[in-house]
Amino acid sequence: QVHPVESGGGLVQAGGSLKLSCAASGRTFSGYAMAWFRQALGKEREFVATISGRIIYYAESVQGRFTISRDNFKNTVALQMNSLKPGATAVYYCAANVNLRRDYVSGEAWDYWGQGTQVTVSS
C-alpha cells in the first residue's frame, strides 16, 4: 500500500507557475502508477496526468504546460504547472494504483488517494 500526501498548493496569478509534490509511503512505491486529478468547486473530478514507469499521459487541457515527474528514491511525484489559467483553480489530488489501468482517466482506476491541496489561480 501507499499513502499519498500532497503539498505545494497555494495562490498564484494567471500565467504563473506552481509545483505540487506528493509524498507516498510504501516500500514498493517505484512499482506503482501515480496520477494527479483535480476537482473544481461544483464540478466533477478530472484527470490531469499520470506516470507509470516511462509511460506518461496528460489531459489535453494541460498538455504542454504541465509536467509530471517522479523520484523513486524519495518516493515522490511532482506536478510542475506553468502558464496557469484561472480555470485551473481546484483541489488537486494525488492518486496511486498498483498498475496503470486502461481507464486511468477515471477516478475508479485508482485505489489510493491523498487529501488534496488547494490551487487558486487569480485573474
Side-chain angles (χ1 to χ4, degrees), residues 57-96:
Y57 297 122
Y58 294 100
E60 186 175 343
S61 61
V62 305
Q63 181 79 44
R65 298 185 298 112
F66 289 15
T67 303
I68 189 172
S69 61
R70 68 190 295 164
D71 185 332
N72 289 331
F73 291 103
K74 297 182 178 179
N75 283 14
T76 58
V77 60
L79 184 68
Q80 176 67 46
M81 305 184 293
N82 299 328
S83 302
L84 282 162
K85 304 175 182 179
T89 294
V91 177
Y92 283 70
Y93 296 93
C94 179

Side-chain angles (χ1 to χ4, degrees), residues 7-93:
S7 62
L11 175 65
V12 62
Q13 289 188 334
S17 298
L18 202 61
K19 187 174 183 177
L20 305 182
S21 183
C22 173
S25 62
R27 291 179 296 176
T28 58
F29 171 82
S30 63
Y32 276 72
M34 302 296 296
W36 288 95
F37 283 75
R38 65 187 179 187
Q39 186 168 18
L41 192 63
K43 296 187 177 180
E44 294 186 354
R45 180 175 52 193
E46 66 172 347
F47 167 77
V48 176
T50 184
I51 183 168
S52 178
R54 296 183 178 182
I55 298 172
I56 293 176
Y57 297 122
Y58 294 100
E60 186 175 343
S61 61
V62 305
Q63 181 79 44
R65 298 185 298 112
F66 289 15
T67 303
I68 189 172
S69 61
R70 68 190 295 164
D71 185 332
N72 289 331
F73 291 103
K74 297 182 178 179
N75 283 14
T76 58
V77 60
L79 184 68
Q80 176 67 46
M81 305 184 293
N82 299 328
S83 302
L84 282 162
K85 304 175 182 179
T89 294
V91 177
Y92 283 70
Y93 296 93

